[in-house]
Amino acid sequence: MQGSSHDDVRRHNLSVVLRLVHRSGAASRSQLTRVTGLNRSTIAALVAELAERGLVVEREPSSTNQVGRPSPIVCVSEQVVALAVNPEIDAVTIGIVGLDGQVHRRVRYPTDQSPSVLEAVNIAAAVIDGMRGELTAKFRVVGIGVAVPGLVRAHDGLVRHAPHLGWVDEPLAEMLEAATGYPVLAANDASLGAMAERFFGAGKGITDLIYLNGGASGIGGGMIVGGAPAGGIAGYAGEFGHTRVSASDRVDSAGLRGTLEAEVTRRELLEVLGLAGADADELEQALLAATAPEVRAEVNRQIDHLAVALAGAINILNPQLVVLGGFLAALLAVDPQRLRTAVASHSLDAAFGSVRLSAAELGSNLLMIGAAELAFEGLLDDPAVLPPVRPAVVPAEAPTASGAESA
């Protein structure tokens, strides 16, 4: 990322600096100077403005043998957060996620059946209301990001089709914004997962990756191509779950036969394990601990079908990395060699030779971090939208506890 020292692009330069410390971690002023190409005085002024707006803080560096005065370390403020929401067929999950990628709180609200859009909004709003005291006392909330297991229209957050939830043309973002008072953005869950892994997980430093997520609502995916998310013209790209992998009569949520989503399912893994439910981490541990032959047979069947879809994606997109999340990561964990061998058998040698298969590193927090990243995007584009933090003025004749105004 290259900046400019011209006054008329100050907002752009603020964005450059904030994105760097947000996505690459804490950095010294001297490092920011080197990476952006801006001079030291410009970096100092930009960091000072970001600090005034409560977006970054500076701390003294740890002891060093470097000659001369060490450069202060710039890191994002822990007080700036976004709210994340992920509706699923068996639960609505709500989280508080910091600008540093830390998940401060994650609440999973189970449901007896797939919630309607109104029920999901009401659940999310009620949980957020229960967090208001903590949010007001400790954080500055920039908005809400929603990870939806379905097709979401990018520009307004309209859920065009979430088949497992039974949602069609539902104005989810608009409804949640009205219920909470926070600005809301929504996008496909797997696309947000790809973005989260690219910046905070297994995909750090990778410019071309494919992410596939397996959840209660089926299988979706996202792509990073040449360092940029590839969402298609309306944001619907990455539906790897509907790739045909067999000649069977099994149908997926869209009514298509023999697809990855029809053959590779979380439900069948839970059934063979005798479990009523489990999150991704719990399912992985159960599969690793299982010794029954019927469990291994089901795992092998699903791995072989997954390999067909992965090989097709690798042959077409030639990625550096394939990241598997949700219950797909559990399949990889149980038998990584079988999956890799099966993928290789369906792939072009040249394409397969340059790709690596990896489990998602963010675990159960992945969609919380991805949804929050969606909410942070406007702030990262223009940090000046957040007003400066100004301390409360306390009259000298009426001493009281000092504090800060809510921004």
Side-chain angles (χ1 to χ4, degrees), residues 210-278:
I210 297 169
Y211 170 75
L212 271 73
N213 181 68
S217 292
I219 296 173
M223 300 170 287
I224 305 296
V225 178
I233 193 168
Y236 306 151
E239 289 295 325
F240 294 106
H242 302 297
T243 301
R244 190 169 176 83
V245 297
S246 79
S248 80
D249 289 331
R250 290 174 171 235
V251 296
D252 64 17
S253 59
L256 303 177
R257 298 180 183 275
T259 64
L260 177 63
E261 187 179 279
E263 295 284 4
V264 178
T265 71
R266 173 178 174 267
R267 173 184 54 79
E268 287 174 292
L269 292 173
L270 290 172
E271 286 177 356
V272 77
L273 286 166
L275 297 176

